[in-house]
Amino acid sequence: MIAKELRVSVRSVERWRQAWRQDGLAALASAGPPKLPKLTDDRFAELEKELVKDPAEHGWEDQRWTLARIRALIASTFNLDVSPAAVARLM
């Protein structure tokens, strides 16, 4: 019932309950928002310019930008490894 009301998995509720039993209320404190991607505003503007170009200009055969391709573009352009989740947050 708790999981359904919070719209989370039963496993998440079980983890929270276990943490609470072991370390009390402090164990349930939020760690804060996920880490923000490491692109400055200037770098993000540069990434936007690259994404306006066709994917073929970056070596892909079809005309689709995917998270994996954007991640590869960030890696090659900025020598920066970001997770797929970070790319999704950027977009």
Side-chain angles (χ1 to χ4, degrees), residues 35-82:
K35 285 176 45 176
L36 295 174
K38 302 172 190 172
L39 287 182
T40 63
D41 289 343
D42 291 340
R43 283 183 158 189
F44 188 78
E46 188 177 338
L47 175 63
E48 285 180 317
K49 289 177 186 174
E50 293 301 315
L51 291 173
V52 169
K53 298 176 184 176
D54 292 338
E57 292 183 53
H58 293 283
W60 288 287
E61 293 182 14
D62 62 20
Q63 298 300 306
R64 295 177 298 141
W65 279 115
T66 63
L67 291 179
R69 290 179 178 183
I70 296 170
R71 182 180 182 205
L73 179 63
I74 291 170
S76 66
T77 304
F78 306 113
N79 195 28
L80 183 64
D81 184 28
V82 295

Side-chain angles (χ1 to χ4, degrees), residues 3-51:
K4 185 177 180 180
E5 286 191 30
L6 295 176
R7 290 188 240 161
V8 298
S9 70
V10 172
R11 180 67 187 124
S12 290
V13 174
E14 290 170 356
R15 279 194 316 269
W16 297 338
R17 186 175 288 142
Q18 181 180 7
W20 176 70
R21 284 182 183 144
Q22 287 178 353
D23 300 316
L25 193 58
L28 301 178
S30 172
K35 285 176 45 176
L36 295 174
K38 302 172 190 172
L39 287 182
T40 63
D41 289 343
D42 291 340
R43 283 183 158 189
F44 188 78
E46 188 177 338
L47 175 63
E48 285 180 317
K49 289 177 186 174
E50 293 301 315
L51 291 173

